[in-house]
Each structure stands twice: as structure tokens, then as C-alpha cells.
Amino acid sequence: MRVGVLFGGRSGEHQVSLHSARAVIHALQQAGHEVVPIGITSEGRWLVGGDPLHALSSGEHTSERAVAMLPQPGAYGLVAVQPTNGEAPPIEDLAGQAGQAGLAGLDVLFPVLHGTYGEDGTVQGLFELAAVPYAGAGVLGSALGMDKVVQKTLWRGMGLPVADYLSVTRRDLERSPQVVMDLIEQSLGYPCFTKPANLGSSVGVSKASNRTELDQGLKVAAQYDAKLIVERGVDARELEVGVLGNEEPTASVVGEILPGAEFYDYRAKYIDNGSQAIIPADVPAHISDEVRRLAVAAFKAVTASGLARVDFFLERGTERLYVNEINTMPGFTEISMYPKLWEASGVPFPELVTRIAELALERYQERSRNRTTYAVEE
Ligand SMILES: Nc1ncnc2c1ncn2[C@@H]1O[C@H](COP(=O)(O)OP(=O)(O)O)[C@@H](O)[C@H]1O
Ligand SMILES: [Mg+2]
């Protein structure tokens, strides 16, 4: 297959995406696929040719060219954008240059993009308009996977176990902080966790054990999103499961994260080396069976497709399980949980990325069966 791999993007997880993409590209090549790397700068410009991964990692641009994807179905895929005096040429010119750009005929796109504008349904909307097959969740699945309030409301409504939470808007917080904090103290108590509703990698996540910390945590989260979620702090072990498939997804073995900090914050994830992944997790069979069942249910509930990692809390003392979150484009470096979980389940990395690309094509074909025109029969 000829696979366009997208990475970078306008997201706080830009750097993480570059690391993930490096590993995905390597695995796709190992599996014998041809890879077209497509870098997206922090400002949202798309680059191809040269070495976009190197360009974004180092800031040294060589022969990369700016391209765009047109929001209309067509054979040309990506088209060159050659700004003259900072202005892009008209569409007609762009289409004519497609051949030069040499990018027509990508079989599938693999958006290895985490967080905003990559994992939240926005870029997926562009792929839908352009009618190109792409890996992972669609518009709705991505958006639901991104919004921690909506996904939890949905899961709870379907009877999946979710720890108690409250949704808070930045507006309410700024207008009446005391009322908001009173409500949180009454309904959730301490410790609690404050988070932006739409983010990842623990950015903006804090643990609060008293009102001062709560006030601080809410302010931090409110810097990243207009909607926040506050959750009861669960004293728990953290379990993670990989899910793979479209309509009949399967779950990997269960893994456990041992955070090298008070909780699994950004530093513990990416900077300090103290965190550990235990695969398979040392939990009784009835727990791992239940986690795998819940992971598939949570995946289906948000209409995810292709792949996702579903994260759980196993509460100490009560042994209760809670679904914490779903990541529709989980971290994908060689040492990331998702590929390691599948490797431990008998699916090596090159086979995993091939399967994900194939699932993208299957989903595309299934969607192509839908009629997009309607004529009233005489
Ligand atoms: N309700 C909670 N109880 C206990 N720990 C939590 C809770 N919510 C988050 N955490 C801790 O914070 C980390 C990051 O929160 P999470 O909801 O997974 O956000 P992100 O999408 O940024 O990974 C978790 O891995 C866990 O260590
Ligand atoms: Mg998480």
C-alpha cells in the first residue's frame, strides 16, 4: 500500500506525534508499504517532499513543499501550494500541479496526530470531504473520544462504570467560583481531579486535596478549554487495553501503568523515566476479562473504529473498575502501551499498522455503499 502518514499538527501533543510517527513509519516500511510522510507544522501548514519529520523535529527545512488537501473528492489527493507574496494560487492552478507534486494515488492516510485538530474529528472531516480512506475513528468517534464530559455521559447512560464527575464551564467558574467550588466539595469531595474536557497527555490535569489546590487546578484547566471536568479522585491501579477492529473489535491483553509520580502526569509520561508498564497486568482473570469486555463496549459506545486504547481505574480496596478514558489515536512509539499490548497479544508492530490500514480501507468501502443522492421515484 501507499500510505500517507500525517504527524505534528496544531496541538499541545505535537512533539509526541513526531515520536509516534517515527515508529509508525518504520513499522509500515518494515511491512513493505510505501510511506509518504506528511508533516503538519504547529501553525497548521502541511509539508511534503524532503524530510518533513526531520524538518519538524529540528526546524531545519530543506526541500519540503507546502501542500493542501482540497475538501472535494478527486484523483489528485494533495496539491501544491506555492505562495507568491504570501498568497496561495487559485484552486485551478493547484489542481494542475498535482502531477508535479507526485502525490496522487495514496491508498490510505494514517493520521498519527494526537490531540486538537488531529484526534478530535476536525481533520477527519476534511478526509471525509476529500473522500480518502483514513485510519482510525471517524468524525463522531474522534470527537466523542476527545470530549471527556460527553464520553462519560454516554458511557454512564449505557451502564458502563464511570467515577463521579461534574462538568464545569469556564464561564461559570469566572462568574461564581465560590458556588462552583462549593458544589464540587459537596458532590465529589477531596481528593478530586480537575482537567480540561478536551485535551490529552495529562496537560492541564491536577489533583486537588483542599480548596486552595482546587481553585488553582480549576484555573490551570481553564487555560486550556472553555469546558472542564472535575472527577472524584479514585485511589486506583491504572489498567490499559488496546482495541483493534471496526464493527467487531477485539481487545488485547491488559497492561498496567505504574506511574513514577503521585499520578500519571506529563512529566511521568514523557520526561522522567520512573514510570513502568507491566504487560500483562498482574490481575486475576475475572478482572482482566471484565476490563476487556468493558473496553470493547466503551469503544463501540463512542462509535470508534480501527484502533483505540481504553484506560481504566481498578480501585484499591473495593476492586471496582471504572472506565477513565478512550484514546482514538493512542501513543505509538516503540515503547508505547498500545503497540506493546498488541505485541504481547501476538500482533507484532508491522502487522498491527498493516491491519489498521486495512481496517481503514474496509471502513471506507462500507461507507461508500451509502447513497449520497436521492431522487423521488415517479
Ligand atoms: N478521577 C481520577 N482519580 C485518580 N486519578 C486520576 C483521575 N483522573 C485522572 N487521574 C490521573 O491523571 C492522569 C491523567 O488523567 P486522564 O484523565 O487520563 O487524562 P489524559 O487524557 O490527559 O491522559 C491519569 O492517568 C491518572 O494518573
Ligand atoms: Mg490518560
Side-chain angles (χ1 to χ4, degrees):
M1 282 183 267
R2 197 152 186 262
V3 188
V5 176
L6 289 107
F7 47 83
R10 272 168 73 198
S11 164
E13 294 174 272
H14 181 101
Q15 289 299 332
V16 184
S17 163
L18 302 185
H19 291 301
S20 290
R22 194 175 304 278
V24 169
I25 289 171
H26 182 68
L28 282 166
Q29 286 168 338
Q30 268 188 315
H33 305 295
E34 187 189 340
V35 172
V36 177
I38 306 166
I40 306 180
T41 68
S42 306
E43 295 78 40
R45 276 162 38 89
W46 292 31
L47 302 173
V48 299
D51 187 348
L53 191 53
H54 177 75
L56 294 187
S57 312
S58 65
E60 294 161 24
H61 294 250
T62 50
S63 54
E64 294 78 33
R65 303 171 57 188
V67 291
M69 178 172 282
L70 301 183
Q72 65 189 57
Y76 28 81
L78 293 172
V79 295
V81 183
Q82 284 161 329
T84 39
N85 310 326
E87 280 171 35
I91 299 282
E92 291 80 3
D93 293 358
L94 293 179
Q97 288 164 4
Q100 292 173 30
L103 287 161
L106 290 176
D107 293 310
V108 58
L109 289 175
F110 200 137
V112 189
L113 298 165
H114 306 307
T116 47
Y117 305 111
E119 200 179 343
D120 60 0
T122 52
V123 84
Q124 286 75 12
L126 177 60
F127 301 153
E128 291 289 342
L129 291 171
V132 285
Y134 58 96
V139 173
L140 180 62
S142 299
L144 289 172
M146 194 71 192
D147 190 309
K148 292 185 161 86
V149 173
V150 182
Q151 67 188 223
K152 286 192 160 112
T153 308
L154 189 65
W155 287 334
R156 178 162 277 186
M158 296 176 102
L160 303 187
V162 169
D164 287 340
Y165 64 92
L166 274 180
S167 175
V168 174
T169 65
R170 181 158 63 200
R171 191 181 146 98
D172 286 347
L173 186 64
E174 285 169 356
R175 284 196 178 167
S176 23
Q178 303 308 329
V179 176
V180 168
M181 287 192 285
D182 285 345
L183 185 64
I184 293 169
E185 287 180 345
Q186 282 154 23
S187 56
L188 303 174
Y190 296 112
C192 61
F193 280 77
T194 48
K195 321 176 185 178
N198 294 277
L199 214 71
S201 287
S202 300
V203 174
V205 176
S206 322
K207 180 179 180 177
S209 301
N210 53 54
R211 193 152 174 129
T212 314
E213 288 175 6
L214 177 60
D215 183 44
Q216 188 56 32
L218 288 167
K219 282 184 179 136
V220 170
Q223 289 173 9
Y224 295 97
D225 201 342
K227 185 162 78 173
L228 319 183
I229 184 167
V230 188
E231 293 173 14
R232 173 173 80 83
V234 185
D235 177 23
R237 292 169 67 181
E238 298 193 45
L239 304 178
E240 304 191 342
V241 194
V243 182
L244 182 66
N246 287 339
E247 263 132 297
E248 288 170 4
T250 53
S252 71
V253 298
V254 177
E256 175 169 12
I257 293 286
L258 301 181
E262 195 189 352
F263 71 93
Y264 201 32
D265 62 8
Y266 189 92
R267 287 196 73 87
K269 281 179 185 174
Y270 305 117
I271 298 169
D272 303 334
N273 291 320
S275 300
Q276 259 183 290
I278 312 286
I279 302 171
D282 183 14
V283 292
H286 72 274
I287 300 271
S288 56
D289 289 348
E290 182 63 357
V291 166
R292 296 173 73 233
R293 184 187 73 79
L294 289 170
V296 168
F299 181 97
K300 287 184 173 173
V302 302
T303 67
S305 42
L307 74 161
R309 200 191 70 228
V310 186
D311 300 346
F312 292 83
F313 294 136
L314 174 60
E315 193 168 36
R316 293 192 174 87
T318 67
E319 298 287 288
R320 271 202 203 114
L321 279 169
Y322 297 98
V323 188
N324 175 38
E325 61 158 342
I326 185 164
N327 288 286
T328 53
M329 190 50 71
F332 235 120
T333 69
E334 263 107 7
I335 58 156
S336 291
M337 198 55 145
Y338 188 79
K340 286 210 303 195
L341 287 169
W342 281 109
E343 208 170 294
S345 308
V347 187
F349 206 153
E351 204 177 307
L352 179 63
V353 289
T354 300
R355 185 73 198 117
I356 291 167
E358 286 167 357
L359 285 164
L361 295 174
E362 284 169 31
R363 178 167 177 275
Y364 179 79
Q365 268 142 25
E366 186 58 34
R367 277 176 77 88
S368 305
R369 292 176 55 197
N370 298 349
R371 282 168 69 165
T372 53
T373 56
Y374 178 71
V376 180
E377 279 163 33
E378 293 298 314

